[in-house]
Structure formats: C-alpha cells, structure tokens
Amino acid sequence: MSNYSIKSIMKSLSGDIAIDLGTANTLIWMKNQEVVLNEPSIVAREKITNKIIAVGNEAKAMLGRTHGGIETIRPLRDGVIADYKMADAMIRGFIRKLNMSRIARPRIVICIPSGRTDVEQRAVKESAEHANASEVYLIEEPMAAAIGIGIDVNQPVGNMVVDIGGGTTEIAVISLNGIASLETINVAGDEQTEAILQWFKDHHKLAIGERTAETIKCTVGSAIRTSGKSIAVKGLDLITGIPKTVEVSSDEVRQALSETIYQITAAIKKALDKTPPEHASDLIDFGIILTGGGSQLKGLDQHIKNKTGLPVHVAEDPCYSVVKGTGIVLDSLKKYQNVLIQP
C-alpha cells in the first residue's frame, strides 16, 4: 500500500474536531460534518465511588431530581474550569458519544475564554490529550465568534463582538488577527437565571428550580418594556411548604433581569471607552455584533443601541457562532495560525 493511501486512511479515521467548551453547553464540530453534538456541560456521578454515570443531556435530566447518593456537577463556572477532574471526564464522555474509531488520533481545536490563566489553559489542553488527541490547539472565544460570524479578522478594521455565554460576557474589538481591546465580566446567562430564582424568593416567597427559571427567562424575559405577556409559575411556597402557582408578567421578569442587563451594558460602554481611536470610526460604521445564547434575550439589541447610540446586530445562529468559527479554524489551520493561542 502506498504512503498516500495510508495517509488517506489515517486522515479519514482521525475525525478532527472543534470544541466550544461553554459554561452552559458544550458544542462539537466534526470536520466535514459540522455540529455533531450540542449538550449541557453537566456531569452526574456517584458520591461514594466517584463513578461518572452520565454526561450532557442525561446528566441534565437528573438536575434537581437526584437522591443523596448522586450529585450533578457543572465543571465550568464563570467561563473557567472549576473542577478539573470532572471537566476531564466530561470532555472524554462527549468525545466517546461521537463513536469515533478507537485508533483515531484526532486533531482538536478548543476555544477558551480570553481571561484564562496559564493553569486553566494547560488543564483544558491536557483534557483533550487524555481523549487521545494527536494535536491540540487553543483559540480565544471572541476570536472564534468573530470568525464564525463571517468577519475577516485579518483586515485592519475594528469589529466589536459581544459574546454573552452562560458564565461570562466577553466584549472584544477584533482587528489584524488580534484583540485590540477586551472587557470581560462574570455576568451572563447563568447570572440572569440566578437573578430570576432570587426574585421569586424575595418577592413571591416561592422556591423554583433552575430549569423553571431558565424557561421563564426564555419565554417572557426581556431587556425593554413589552406588551403585557404573562406566565404561570409553579414552585414551593417558602412560608407554608406547600406547592403553589403564581402568575407573573413579562415586565416583572424584566425588573428581575434589570441589574444583570445594566452590568452587561456598562461593560460594553467601558470597552468602547478603551477602544483605540482608529477603531472608533469603524464601530460607528459597522456597529456592535451580539452573539452567544444570552444575545437572544428579547429587546437586548435595542436596549444596547439606546444606551450606546451605535448600530447593534444579533448574529445569525448566535449559539453556534463560536463553534462554527472554531470549526473554520480547524479546517484551515495554516491560514488561521496567527489567531491561535501560542504555547
């Protein structure tokens, strides 16, 4: 068999993959197949034996419903790895779900938050290596998002990308294969869900679950005043200890989210203040691009436009911008060599 044939076979077995390792969800892009996995970044394990019993969708189904012997864990918090052992198990579990050949040695590109430490960066890389990767490359999330949106990051033009994920909001001005200015805050989708949980405790004396709070946010949550939509919310009365249902309006949910929206908007203003003058005129022309799951909150684009006076656009398929950009880099590693994090 010729060397060319051997190389072709090994390439087909490699199944090179790109990973968007998010606080809320992990997405995997496989070469020539695009997105092949989109599951919650959650692990379930037995407390006594430490045995991993589920990852992703199966683990999320257990959230808030486990008995004392099982716990569900989110290995990432605020955009960084909070539990290295569980993150390692989660990454390996997700890759196993792809049903790749056991002899596969894929190249893996993983996007990570721009505010990572060297220790966190090394931990992510080692987790991928444990999953039998032949080569591991890292890219910063805002850069991956910009590429996924379709921005030519090689050009000397400033583009502001606001990536609102689960644990962090990253605001970056991208130009010439680099990040010209950056602002990161630990306020994003998870913080908004927590704000709704707290609101119901404080204002209705009602305990609700995380999944219920997420549903409320997605159904009637808004950054601006909207017409009177309402939702029935079921929970546990904290005074009587008896389950009950309360009806809440969209405007009340807006009030619950107002502080987190203020903090995100303030961070965008701070990033604009740090933007080099040469790029300020670019932002007037091209505006701000919102991406990530949190960008889908109703009226958020209009709210930011009102507060900054700049055009604001929500990316097409904002939940997939980062993994798509990471996949594009995977497909053209030589072309995008300059945007990868250098070891």
Side-chain angles (χ1 to χ4, degrees):
M1 187 179 287
S2 69
N3 286 338
Y4 177 79
S5 299
I6 292 170
K7 284 180 181 177
S8 297
I9 291 170
M10 291 308 293
K11 194 172 181 181
S12 68
L13 287 172
S14 68
D16 293 344
I17 57 178
I19 303 176
D20 172 11
L21 193 62
T23 303
N25 291 283
T26 294
L27 291 85
I28 297 181
W29 169 296
M30 186 173 281
K31 196 161 186 173
N32 302 321
Q33 296 184 54
E34 300 198 352
V35 178
V36 294
L37 183 141
N38 180 4
E39 297 197 16
S41 301
I42 302 176
V43 179
R45 72 171 176 187
E46 290 181 350
K47 286 184 179 179
I48 296 175
T49 63
N50 275 333
K51 181 184 176 184
I52 305 300
I53 57 175
V55 298
N57 289 330
E58 295 83 2
K60 185 176 182 179
M62 300 177 186
L63 199 62
R65 300 175 186 273
T66 59
H67 56 72
I70 296 174
E71 65 177 339
T72 53
I73 300 165
R74 290 183 178 272
L76 289 95
R77 285 285 176 188
D78 299 330
V80 297
I81 295 178
D83 187 324
Y84 295 110
K85 199 169 184 180
M86 290 300 101
D88 185 58
M90 185 181 74
I91 290 170
R92 289 204 252 181
F94 283 143
I95 291 175
R96 274 197 299 272
K97 286 190 176 190
L98 303 181
N99 293 320
M100 295 171 66
S101 166
R102 288 187 178 181
I103 63 171
R105 297 290 314 280
R107 293 181 303 172
I108 299 179
V109 180
I110 306 180
C111 68
I112 60 174
S114 47
R116 86 286 170 191
T117 65
D118 290 342
V119 172
E120 289 156 357
Q121 182 176 313
R122 197 158 50 245
V124 171
K125 202 165 187 177
E126 286 175 358
S127 292
E129 288 167 351
H130 292 162
N132 212 31
S134 61
E135 300 170 44
V136 181
Y137 302 94
L138 303 178
I139 183 173
E140 291 172 306
E141 281 184 21
M143 182 63 73
I147 293 168
I149 290 164
I151 293 171
D152 186 350
V153 297
N154 185 50
Q155 294 300 310
V157 177
N159 288 278
M160 178 172 276
V161 176
V162 179
D163 181 15
I164 308 171
T168 58
T169 294
E170 297 187 66
I171 305 138
V173 175
I174 310 287
S175 177
L176 287 171
N177 291 324
I179 296 176
S181 67
L182 175 72
E183 189 68 28
T184 301
I185 58 169
N186 295 334
V187 178
D190 288 351
E191 192 80 10
Q192 291 179 332
T193 302
E194 182 59 37
I196 292 172
L197 285 167
Q198 195 60 47
W199 179 274
F200 275 87
K201 283 181 184 177
D202 294 342
H203 294 267
H204 294 282
K205 300 295 182 278
L206 188 75
I208 61 173
E210 188 179 316
R211 288 195 296 180
T212 300
E214 183 75 21
T215 300
I216 294 167
K217 180 177 70 177
C218 296
T219 307
V220 297
S222 178
I224 58 175
R225 290 185 184 275
T226 56
S227 56
K229 198 174 181 183
S230 62
I231 186 171
V233 178
K234 298 174 184 176
L236 187 69
D237 190 312
L238 292 172
I239 297 172
T240 66
I242 298 172
K244 74 171 183 179
T245 303
V246 298
E247 190 91 9
V248 295
S249 67
S250 58
D251 195 60
E252 188 175 347
V253 178
R254 178 190 62 78
Q255 292 175 59
L257 296 171
S258 62
E259 177 58 27
T260 61
I261 293 164
Y262 169 79
Q263 290 182 61
I264 290 170
T265 308
I268 292 171
K269 287 182 177 179
K270 193 173 178 182
L272 287 168
D273 191 48
K274 293 185 343 188
T275 299
E278 294 81 3
H279 294 318
S281 60
D282 296 331
L283 300 185
I284 293 171
D285 293 334
F286 302 114
I288 299 168
I289 304 171
L290 306 182
T291 189
S295 69
Q296 297 177 106
L297 182 70
K298 294 180 187 71
L300 182 61
D301 54 343
Q302 185 62 49
H303 174 82
I304 295 169
K305 181 181 178 181
N306 293 343
K307 296 299 180 181
T308 63
L310 294 171
V312 180
H313 317 281
V314 179
E316 189 178 343
D317 294 330
C319 292
Y320 291 92
S321 299
V322 171
V323 74
K324 184 179 178 183
T326 311
I328 290 169
V329 171
L330 173 70
D331 287 343
S332 306
L333 279 169
K334 189 174 284 188
K335 177 182 175 182
Y336 289 104
Q337 188 175 4
N338 291 335
V339 307
L340 296 171
I341 297 171
Q342 299 306 313

